[in-house]
Amino acid sequence: MEGCNIAIIGAGTAGLASALYLARDGHRITIFEQFDTPKPVGAGLMLQPTGLACLAVLGLDKTVIANSRIINRIDGRTIRGRRVLDIGYDALGANAFGLGVHRATLFGALYNAVQSEDIKLLTSTMVRDTPLKHEARSIVGANGAYHGPFDCIIDASGARSHLRSLHADVRYVKPYPYGAVWGVCNEPTDWPWPDILAQRFDAARHMLGILPLGQRNGAETSQMAFFWSLPANSYDTWRDNGIDAWHAQVAAYWPEAGALAQQFPSPDAMTFATYPDVVLKQLYSERMVFLGDAAHSTSPQLGQGANLALADALTFAKAVRTAESFEAALMMFARDRKAHLRFYQVASRYLTPFFQSDSRLAAGLRDASFGPMTMVPYIQREMVRSLAGVKNGIFTSLDPGDWHERYAGMRV
């Protein structure tokens, strides 16, 4: 299909990437964003080979890599020093790596590219509904204003999508009982794990993670994302206990991290986030498709949110390019994404209790088994493949390089 009129709701990773892929295929794109100024939400994230392959199609991978930090290993230990995770990307080959990325870096690369294209961006627009009429959809704003009609609408408005409850075939939306406080701090010049995502675990009730993010936009100081997981219903207690008590707890768990925690002078210096588990029976309805967290929000345990969103955007653009109708494109998109999404939804759901739960049994099984399993070459490779975002089944994997070759015809 050529020259279609497509609306995108949400200027996050999925929305901006979709706009770029589709605009470069000659479609007319309008992005609707509820905020006055589009902005990133969150601290840091891990980009995996899948996400990087998608960015490479847009010609943005080098820009993002230059302003981020290459991650070669994952190191996870209990607060008593027992090694739980020790996996390196070298198990996938010499050129494989993850990328610690400040969310503003990824957002900036996508947003700047969107501004250089003929893409219309309407801000301060809260979308109330998307009525269907005569094989087209319109957008109704919160103020009653109509926009459109559009040949297709993409809902990329995130995990708490309002439109999902109106138009998607939802299997369930279930909040995870655990959340996290997060923030960005400066990296000490003598930090001993500059290319490692390092984690410490107190059973499964608390998880402390530190992800190097590199020097964003040529800044002199490198930064790191700091994560502290806790039960969602204990956040108010955490605040009431005071920041000094938390500083002391972090230092007792991990002295080097205790010094970093001092960079957060109050609870208000960190942001609290919770996560829903979203499963749709179908990723689309008539003339409408759901991408990214609006379609399949998961626990952040495997860190796949941005990677899955980028893969959604690229796969949908390929389906629109290839199919003869939007009905066929939507069916093709759902078919092509099914196995990959199902693997990471299920894996995230069942892995999370081993790291974020009240279960001492799950934590004990994790401590006793995960470390030895990583010593078995086959299991280690499969763990790294899961982390790298390439798994689409228990015994099958994708090839991100193949993604790039297959879709490289998209103009960059």
Side-chain angles (χ1 to χ4, degrees):
M1 292 183 288
E2 295 182 359
C4 298
N5 190 20
I6 300 173
I8 299 173
I9 302 169
T13 299
L16 294 173
S18 295
L20 288 168
Y21 291 128
L22 292 165
R24 292 178 182 185
D25 264 1
H27 303 292
R28 300 184 304 279
I29 306 299
T30 304
I31 302 174
F32 293 83
E33 170 58 45
Q34 63 177 315
F35 296 111
D36 295 340
T37 303
K39 58 185 177 181
V41 177
L45 56 87
M46 281 277 282
L47 271 182
Q48 303 293 351
T50 47
L52 288 168
C54 295
L55 288 178
V57 175
L58 296 171
L60 299 177
D61 54 323
K62 292 181 180 178
T63 297
V64 173
I65 290 171
N67 292 282
S68 304
R69 178 67 62 80
I70 288 176
I71 302 297
N72 290 312
R73 301 193 68 79
I74 312 296
D75 180 288
R77 309 181 191 191
T78 70
I79 59 174
R80 295 173 179 81
R82 184 170 186 170
R83 195 178 297 274
V84 176
L85 294 173
D86 182 14
I87 50 179
Y89 286 90
D90 54 359
L92 297 182
N95 296 321
F97 58 87
L99 197 69
V101 183
H102 196 296
R103 284 187 180 272
T105 296
L106 178 60
F107 173 84
L110 293 169
Y111 184 63
N112 290 339
V114 161
Q115 290 187 307
S116 70
E117 301 280 345
D118 186 18
I119 295 171
K120 184 183 297 184
L121 175 61
L122 299 181
T123 59
S124 304
T125 305
M126 178 71 74
V127 176
R128 188 174 70 194
D129 202 358
T130 58
L132 176 69
K133 185 177 181 180
H134 303 310
E135 296 187 343
R137 282 191 183 270
S138 298
I139 282 180
V140 182
N143 61 358
Y146 273 74
H147 305 269
F150 298 98
D151 297 307
C152 184
I153 289 178
I154 296 171
D155 181 3
S157 59
R160 291 165 178 81
S161 164
H162 163 67
L163 296 173
R164 182 177 58 219
S165 62
L166 298 178
H167 299 292
D169 191 357
V170 179
R171 181 160 291 161
Y172 64 82
V173 177
K174 182 179 179 181
Y176 277 98
Y178 270 64
V181 292
W182 54 261
V184 174
C185 57
N186 293 328
E187 178 180 340
T189 56
D190 59 348
W191 184 248
W193 302 281
D195 64 341
I196 294 174
L197 167 58
Q199 299 173 323
R200 296 294 182 268
F201 314 116
D202 178 9
R205 189 168 178 80
H206 292 300
M207 178 175 65
L208 197 168
I210 299 174
L211 173 65
L213 303 175
Q215 294 169 292
R216 183 166 61 97
N217 297 330
E220 294 183 1
T221 303
S222 295
Q223 294 184 312
M224 298 188 292
F226 193 110
F227 300 90
W228 172 265
S229 75
L230 73 171
N233 61 12
S234 71
Y235 173 65
D236 289 340
T237 301
W238 177 80
R239 286 186 60 92
D240 293 342
N241 287 339
I243 201 69
D244 291 339
W246 179 67
H247 287 163
Q249 187 177 14
V250 172
Y253 283 176
W254 188 2
E256 292 91 344
L260 297 179
Q262 294 289 333
Q263 294 187 38
F264 304 104
S266 74
D268 292 332
M270 304 190 80
T271 300
F272 180 57
T274 57
Y275 316 97
D277 187 5
V278 174
V279 178
L280 303 186
K281 294 180 182 178
Q282 189 58 271
L283 296 174
Y284 62 89
S285 61
E286 190 172 354
R287 297 277 172 165
M288 187 170 186
V289 66
F290 300 88
L291 304 186
D293 283 347
H296 45 71
S297 175
T298 65
S299 159
Q301 191 58 53
L302 283 172
Q304 294 297 322
N307 302 284
L308 295 177
L310 289 165
D312 284 353
L314 179 56
T315 305
F316 180 66
K318 174 249 184 179
V320 172
R321 174 196 284 187
T322 305
E324 296 182 355
S325 68
F326 269 107
E327 181 181 17
L330 293 168
M331 293 175 65
M332 182 186 297
F333 166 74
R335 181 199 66 205
D336 289 350
R337 294 297 293 133
K338 183 177 181 180
H340 191 221
L341 290 175
R342 181 172 56 191
F343 177 86
Y344 282 98
Q345 286 181 305
V346 172
S348 295
R349 186 176 308 122
Y350 288 103
L351 183 65
T352 293
F354 290 97
F355 295 91
Q356 290 180 297
S357 73
D358 296 326
S359 175
R360 291 190 175 275
L361 176 61
L365 288 173
R366 175 202 68 199
D367 295 348
S369 61
F370 279 41
M373 284 194 299
T374 62
M375 303 301 291
V376 179
Y378 171 77
I379 294 177
Q380 184 182 61
R381 282 194 301 273
E382 293 308 299
M383 284 183 170
V384 179
R385 284 174 177 153
S386 297
L387 179 69
V390 302
K391 294 284 288 180
N392 61 359
I394 297 176
F395 302 109
T396 55
S397 301
L398 301 165
D399 181 353
D402 182 53
W403 279 13
H404 183 261
E405 292 300 320
R406 287 165 60 196
Y407 306 150
M410 292 187 170
R411 292 186 294 276
V412 297

